[in-house]
Each structure stands twice: as C-alpha cells, then as structure tokens.
Amino acid sequence: VLFPLIRLKPAKGLSRPFVGHVWVRWRLESNFCPVETMAMHALIIEDQFVLASLIEDELRELDYTTVATVDTEGAAVVSATAHCPDLIVADERLADGSGVAAIRAICAERHVPFVFVTSYVEEVRRHLPDAVAVPKPFSAPVLREAIGRTIAISQSQQSAGG
C-alpha cells in the first residue's frame, strides 16, 4: 500500500508530529488522548468567492489539510482527476456549468462523498434524490452536520459493499 507524501504540521496543543504517514494529536483536556488522522483533501465547487472562503474555513476546522476551490464544472473535473478529494462541497448553479454534472462526472469513476450548498435544493434533489443538500444562506453548524451525515452515509455504503 502506498501512502501519499504529506506535509505534517502540529495541530493545536501538539508538541511534535508522529513520524510516519499519520500523526498523533494530543488533546489538552486529558493527559494523553492520541487520535490518529490522515491527510484529508476537499474540493469546493463554488463560484462565489466569499462563500467558498467560508466553506473552506469550516473544512479546515474539520481537519481537512488541503482544499482546492474551483468555480466551473470543467475545472472541478480536472481538479478531482489530478487530486482525488475525500469530500466535495458543491453549488448547483455555477458561472460555467452545473455542480450536479460535475459530481456525476467525478463520481462516475470513483465514489466520493459530496454535499451541496445551494439555493437550488429542489433542483439538486430532482437530479440526485439522495443528495445531502444545505440551503443558502447556511450556518456553520448546519454545514458541519451535513458533512458528518454524508460521510456516515458514505462509510455505511462502503461497508455494505455499495
């Protein structure tokens, strides 16, 4: 098994990283509470810069170590092909193309969990009935809950062999 080369940086409260492909986070609340995490990459498909920045801030709070932001359907497919994301957060209507079309193209080759943050929830559900979608405007707790839900769904589908 090959692991990607990642740049490790200490997390909040960490004195030094663990040597290897994972690192250990020490929580300040307890004397010793190691948590293993791997580098996680997210892809944001959003053509509004301010919203993309807010989404990126939330993803970084959730320990996504790298985040790519694109604003068109074509750029999303190219970005996901170059660096397969662990999560996609997408808008439906883009300046050039569709978030649904981008998700379909990316997920045709591999399974990637995704969440829509959009003003067009009904349109998303018409094309992808089981999609997790957060209506704009959104709050950080609602986005975090949606991300947790889509990851849980993805993990249960992978466990079931789907």
Side-chain angles (χ1 to χ4, degrees):
V1 176
L2 297 175
F3 294 100
L5 180 61
I6 58 173
R7 187 178 73 191
L8 302 176
K9 67 177 187 174
K12 298 172 192 166
L14 180 68
S15 59
R16 63 189 175 118
F18 180 79
V19 178
H21 70 279
V22 296
W23 49 285
V24 177
R25 170 181 290 172
W26 297 43
R27 296 187 187 216
L28 295 175
E29 307 88 59
S30 63
N31 291 337
F32 179 74
C33 183
V35 177
E36 291 185 344
T37 61
M38 294 182 67
M40 294 188 299
H41 175 64
L43 173 60
I44 300 170
I45 309 170
E46 173 62 67
D47 59 356
Q48 296 179 28
F49 175 76
V50 173
L51 290 176
S53 296
L54 292 171
I55 293 167
E56 180 176 348
D57 290 346
E58 288 307 312
L59 291 172
R60 292 204 183 274
E61 285 293 317
L62 293 171
D63 292 330
Y64 284 84
T65 52
T66 60
V67 178
T69 301
V70 296
D71 60 359
T72 67
E73 177 184 328
V77 174
V78 169
S79 178
T81 301
H83 189 180
C84 184
D86 298 296
L87 174 72
I88 301 171
V89 179
D91 190 2
E92 163 47 14
R93 292 194 182 170
L94 305 169
D96 182 20
S98 155
V100 167
I103 293 292
R104 283 183 169 160
I106 293 165
C107 294
E109 298 296 318
R110 60 198 161 276
H111 177 76
V112 180
F114 57 88
V115 173
F116 279 92
V117 177
T118 184
S119 297
Y120 305 97
V121 172
E122 293 79 23
E123 190 173 322
V124 167
R125 295 239 168 86
R126 190 168 42 252
H127 297 288
L128 299 168
D130 296 330
V132 175
V134 175
K136 288 181 183 175
F138 67 93
S139 67
V142 170
L143 178 61
R144 287 174 181 233
E145 187 275 329
I147 291 169
R149 192 163 17 118
T150 199
I151 290 172
I153 291 167
S154 174
Q155 289 173 344
S156 69
Q157 288 172 344
Q158 288 177 343
S159 295

